[in-house]
Amino acid sequence: MKTHTDLHDKQAIDKLKKLVYEIKVALFCTNLKTDDGSTCRPMAAQQVCDQGNIWFFSQLKSDKNKEIEADKNVQLFFAHPGNASYLVVNGEAKIIIDAAKTEELWTPAAEAWFKDGKEDKNISIIKVKPVSAYYWDADGDTMINFFKKVAFVVTGATEPVKEEGNITV
């Protein structure tokens, strides 16, 4: 069974957090006017804050940052086929240099990208403020949904719930 549920405010932010933390890695697309995929790159989201902003680390002098400086509009594509969870975010990106925020977001995995750790002079943070977003999310994990589908076909039992809708923060 598929339901369409548009989410707003706290419910929207809670869904963003759930999907981003579950999926973690997004295709982060800049320079959207080219529309050819060449400026999309995989990036790990560090946090979704209580305002619904999505935070990433980035190299200060990266092409991505230069593209954001030229045009703040970005798209994020999150996909977890194993859980049937998907999210697309259209947003506005901003480059931030902030030692306190770096400390807040820092994880041991970030050390792979910044040789001098949290003190690296090449660290920047990208804040993406969602302008619009759309999600698709199945209830439960793949194996459980597989067995529910088999039961549905064989017995007519309840089909797994699939939810989709707009996210407005």
Side-chain angles (χ1 to χ4, degrees), residues 102-169:
T102 297
E103 179 70 33
E104 176 188 336
L105 298 174
W106 193 257
T107 65
E111 300 230 9
W113 300 102
F114 302 100
K115 64 180 174 148
D116 294 329
K118 298 177 229 179
E119 310 307 318
D120 197 309
K121 300 292 183 216
N122 198 28
I123 293 177
S124 68
I125 301 166
I126 300 173
K127 175 177 104 173
V128 176
K129 178 183 176 196
V131 173
S132 66
Y134 200 87
Y135 73 97
W136 299 263
D137 193 18
D139 183 27
D141 70 22
T142 304
M143 192 56 71
I144 291 169
N145 282 332
F146 170 76
F147 287 117
K148 286 180 180 178
K149 285 180 184 178
V150 169
F152 176 72
V153 170
V154 173
T155 67
T158 305
E159 182 181 7
V161 173
K162 297 174 193 147
E163 184 181 71
E164 66 178 87
N166 294 294
I167 292 177
T168 306
V169 294

Side-chain angles (χ1 to χ4, degrees), residues 75-94:
Q75 286 183 313
L76 310 175
F77 296 95
F78 293 87
H80 192 312
N83 285 352
S85 299
Y86 306 91
L87 172 66
V88 61
V89 176
N90 298 294
E92 295 176 348
K94 181 177 181 180

Side-chain angles (χ1 to χ4, degrees), residues 18-59:
K18 174 195 178 288
L19 292 172
V20 170
Y21 292 148
E22 177 181 287
I23 300 169
K24 194 68 171 163
V25 175
L27 275 179
F28 191 117
C29 302
T30 55
N31 200 12
L32 303 179
K33 293 177 183 133
T34 63
D35 200 32
D36 66 358
S38 67
T39 58
C40 295
R41 55 265 303 145
M43 292 185 63
Q46 300 302 311
Q47 180 187 73
V48 177
C49 68
D50 290 338
Q51 292 76 41
N53 299 313
I54 306 169
W55 299 81
F56 298 85
F57 282 123
S58 179
Q59 299 281 333

